[in-house]
């Protein structure tokens, strides 16, 4: 595996991070955006399970490690500037920590921010009390 | 219009920027990712035409101003942390400066980066010689 070559091709920012969009591979739904460092990219490619870098916890974060809502990698893509990743994934359950299916649940409609998606799973079920 | 309230809801980073994903509204194709500052968000909401902030040129950049490949705003969405925008757009022509329909034309397949989309429009046609 030439994971090293792939990682070398990525233009990480000054903090060593690259934004990664997770998109449901079959429906096209944009689920979430998070960040990866080189270790997260490598772990994702090696395991086939999406692993991000948590900027708040400053630690690798295997998606679903707490909630069980994992993301299986279908395909990793790189944009023209090599500074953004698109992850085609298969999402188990809900992607958003609020219990919604994706994180983009607020829309600008009629000049206001409107919540357009319902909570599908109680966050208490995902993370405990 | 409560554009000011919407802009206040966005968590811009230390540089005053927020990443914005442009997604073709009907097909679900992820076209590109670029950055917006508050002025770009306001101009986009006011005109209905996508306007980004060019980090390289340090200037507002109305998508398509050079190439004619504009993006019409269908809906702007905000994620749970308010630090990423999802723009549902109607793309005219190709989104990528390489002349491909979207910027994510390299995929990791068989351990290598493979180009998976063809150039649809010669960049010389888009930007001149």
């Amino acid at each position: 595996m030439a994971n090293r070559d792939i990682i070398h091709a990525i233009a990480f920012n000054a903090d060593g991070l690259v934004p990664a969009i997770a998109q449901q591979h079959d429906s096209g739904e944009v689920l979430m955006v998070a960040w990866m460092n080189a270790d997260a990219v490598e772990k994702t490619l090696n395991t086939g399970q999406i692993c991000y870098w948590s900027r708040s916890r400053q630690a690798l974060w295997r998606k679903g490690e707490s909630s069980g809502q994992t993301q299986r990698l279908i395909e990793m893509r790189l944009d023209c500037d090599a500074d953004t990743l698109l992850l085609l994934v298969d999402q188990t359950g809900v992607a958003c920590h609020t219990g919604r299916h994706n994180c983009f649940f607020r829309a600008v409609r009629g000049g206001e921010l409107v919540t357009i998606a319902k909570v599908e799973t109680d966050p208490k079920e995902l993370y405990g009390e």
Side-chain angles (χ1 to χ4, degrees), chain A:
Chain A
M1 269 292 275
N3 284 357
R4 201 162 292 271
D5 292 346
I6 292 157
I7 289 164
H8 272 293
I10 299 171
F12 294 98
N13 70 13
D15 295 324
L17 301 176
V18 63
I21 306 162
Q23 181 180 34
Q24 177 64 28
H25 71 103
D26 45 7
S27 68
E29 180 184 1
V30 174
L31 298 167
M32 59 180 283
V33 169
W35 295 79
M36 288 186 164
N37 63 4
D39 285 350
V41 173
E42 183 150 36
K43 199 168 173 189
T44 297
L45 290 173
N46 284 340
T47 64
Q49 294 291 325
I50 305 294
C51 181
Y52 298 107
W53 174 257
S54 168
R55 293 176 301 171
S56 57
R57 289 187 285 119
Q58 291 282 301
L60 286 174
W61 154 39
R62 189 172 67 74
K63 175 67 180 168
E65 65 191 5
S66 306
S67 65
Q69 314 293 283
T70 54
Q71 292 176 342
R72 184 166 63 86
L73 179 66
I74 305 295
E75 185 163 276
M76 182 181 289
R77 295 184 187 165
L78 196 54
D79 78 347
C80 51
D81 297 324
D83 63 0
T84 309
L85 302 180
L86 178 63
L87 309 170
L88 301 183
V89 305
D90 193 26
Q91 172 74 47
T92 297
V94 297
C96 186
H97 75 286
T98 65
R100 293 177 178 88
H101 200 261
N102 74 66
C103 294
F104 296 93
F105 57 82
R106 290 183 291 171
V108 180
R109 292 184 181 175
E112 291 187 3
L113 270 179
V114 182
T115 296
I116 59 170
K118 280 190 288 195
V119 173
E120 293 184 13
T121 308
D122 188 333
K124 287 178 191 157
E125 275 182 45
L126 299 175
Y127 303 102
E129 296 290 335

